[in-house]
Amino acid sequence: MSNNHFKKGELYSFITGKASTAIARRLQKKFNAAGLNITIEQWSVLYHLWKEDGRSQQQLCNATFRDKPSITRLVDNLEKLNLVKRVASESDRRINLIYLTKQAQKLEEETMQIADDTLNEALKTVPPERIDVCKEVLQIVYDNLK
Amino acid sequence: MSNNHFKKGELYSFITGKASTAIARRLQKKFNAAGLNITIEQWSVLYHLWKEDGRSQQQLCNATFRDKPSITRLVDNLEKLNLVKRVASESDRRINLIYLTKQAQKLEEETMQIADDTLNEALKTVPPERIDVCKEVLQIVYDNLK
DNA sequence: TTTGGATAGTTGCACAAACAACTATATGTC
DNA sequence: GACATATAGTTGTTTGTGCAACTATCCAAA
């Protein structure tokens, strides 16, 4: 019978995700301080396009764990910022393939460095093996619920 | 020198908080399925009022890790739902003390049970000692950045 | 070949978050 | 007491999220 392990006082942070909220806020502040005019959510879309350019919006939904309207609007805003371009698929006209602009390609290195720094700040006092356990637990949580 | 421990592929989930997003969504669905007409964010405010009723909005900001405008609007919406009432402090007229209504008091048991169930689903396959490590790491992250 | 169901994407609406600018009240110092 | 400063809360704007309803396209079965 699983772990009736959580006392009331403990469940709150898990649900509200205070840690990831804190990380995201710090990262956003660093982006702003660097004069980078993008949101964390926009960055999370770019992140997956840097890994593989030309994904469809639906693929971005799966990758970013967002629903279709959210991606529609993130892509809208990224297009306004001239960071991506929608290109209709030739083989299936329902599909938009999303491509990075040159301007967006230039952002990869700097923003990844900032993200790296942010995580090092967040985790600087945590031994690597405990980080690994934490990552694994969060992955299991995600797999259990997704 | 800290842990240059994160390879690119690993930092994404930490930043985006996929696990806590998944938990929150599942909890929201369960609230909806139970006919409970409240959001997770509203619930998180009620949560702290159940622990101690009559807190000020500023205290709720600190407790929920939200800024003042966010709390103003959450309290607005909770008031519309007849779940809390703003009462001007006698000693300091800048302060609103927020009190639960009878209707909100009735929600505590049911919603806490649902939250408990949700976390048990999320963590059912995770050994307790690993959960503890994960909680500690997340707490440290929060303390490092808050 | 038509038709019915699935899939990709968009739009409208309500709610929430972050930031800046604002009002009102309190407090400490001269 | 007057003034500067700090604190509590509100409002406006932009951005993002979740849901439902919608359009367009594809595909498979009759």
Side-chain angles (χ1 to χ4, degrees):
Chain A
M1 37 81 306
S2 66
N3 28 51
N4 227 329
H5 180 66
F6 271 82
K7 304 158 212 76
K8 284 187 181 178
E10 298 175 343
L11 46 74
Y12 180 80
S13 310
F14 247 108
I15 290 174
T16 56
K18 278 161 75 164
S20 57
T21 302
I23 292 174
R25 268 187 219 167
R26 177 65 59 95
L27 182 55
Q28 181 71 67
K29 284 204 165 73
K30 284 178 185 284
F31 280 177
N32 296 343
L36 297 170
N37 185 30
I38 58 172
T39 67
I40 300 308
E41 294 82 1
Q42 290 164 1
W43 176 82
S44 80
V45 172
L46 297 178
Y47 178 91
H48 290 284
L49 293 174
W50 287 322
K51 291 209 296 187
E52 184 189 341
D53 202 8
R55 299 196 192 203
S56 71
Q57 293 189 199
Q58 183 58 55
Q59 288 174 316
L60 290 172
C61 290
N62 301 335
T64 63
F65 195 41
R66 289 183 168 86
D67 69 356
K68 291 191 292 179
S70 294
I71 290 296
T72 291
R73 277 138 185 160
L74 285 174
V75 171
D76 285 349
N77 287 337
L78 284 166
E79 245 184 349
K80 279 182 206 154
L81 292 169
N82 265 303
L83 294 174
V84 305
K85 229 174 36 178
R86 282 177 168 97
V87 178
S89 164
E90 307 250 315
S91 61
D92 184 339
R93 295 199 300 167
R94 292 170 304 179
I95 294 178
N96 290 336
L97 301 176
I98 311 301
Y99 287 95
L100 293 163
T101 64
K102 289 212 175 98
Q103 200 181 333
Q105 286 161 14
K106 285 185 217 151
L107 291 179
E108 177 173 6
E109 195 181 352
E110 182 176 11
T111 59
M112 292 302 289
Q113 184 59 55
I114 293 175
D116 226 48
D117 294 346
T118 305
L119 278 172
N120 281 331
E121 270 182 57
L123 293 162
K124 64 186 166 207
T125 53
V126 184
E129 68 275 10
R130 294 174 81 77
I131 297 176
D132 287 335
V133 171
C134 187
K135 281 191 307 196
E136 284 167 28
V137 171
L138 294 179
Q139 183 63 47
I140 293 170
V141 165
Y142 178 68
D143 292 335
N144 281 344
L145 297 183
K146 76 177 168 213
Chain B
M1 47 91 306
S2 67
N3 27 53
N4 226 331
H5 181 66
F6 271 82
K7 305 158 213 74
K8 285 187 181 178
E10 298 175 342
L11 47 73
Y12 181 80
S13 309
F14 247 106
I15 290 172
T16 56
K18 278 161 72 164
S20 57
T21 302
I23 292 174
R25 266 186 222 169
R26 177 65 58 94
L27 182 55
Q28 182 70 67
K29 283 203 166 74
K30 283 179 186 285
F31 280 178
N32 296 345
L36 296 169
N37 186 30
I38 58 172
T39 66
I40 301 307
E41 294 83 1
Q42 290 164 2
W43 175 82
S44 80
V45 172
L46 297 178
Y47 177 91
H48 291 283
L49 293 173
W50 287 321
K51 291 208 294 187
E52 185 190 340
D53 203 8
R55 299 196 191 201
S56 71
Q57 295 188 198
Q58 184 58 55
Q59 288 174 316
L60 290 172
C61 291
N62 301 335
T64 63
F65 196 40
R66 290 183 168 86
D67 68 357
K68 292 190 291 179
S70 295
I71 290 296
T72 292
R73 277 141 184 159
L74 284 173
V75 172
D76 285 348
N77 287 336
L78 285 166
E79 245 184 348
K80 279 183 207 152
L81 292 169
N82 265 303
L83 293 174
V84 306
K85 229 174 37 179
R86 281 179 168 96
V87 178
S89 164
E90 307 250 315
S91 61
D92 184 338
R93 294 199 300 167
R94 292 171 302 180
I95 295 177
N96 289 336
L97 302 175
I98 311 302
Y99 287 96
L100 294 163
T101 63
K102 288 212 174 98
Q103 200 181 332
Q105 285 161 15
K106 284 185 216 150
L107 290 180
E108 177 174 7
E109 195 181 351
E110 183 176 10
T111 60
M112 292 303 288
Q113 183 59 53
I114 293 175
D116 225 47
D117 294 346
T118 304
L119 278 173
N120 282 330
E121 269 180 58
L123 295 162
K124 63 186 169 208
T125 53
V126 184
E129 70 275 10
R130 294 174 81 76
I131 297 175
D132 287 335
V133 172
C134 186
K135 280 192 307 195
E136 285 167 28
V137 171
L138 294 178
Q139 183 63 47
I140 293 169
V141 165
Y142 177 68
D143 292 336
N144 281 344
L145 297 183
K146 77 177 170 213

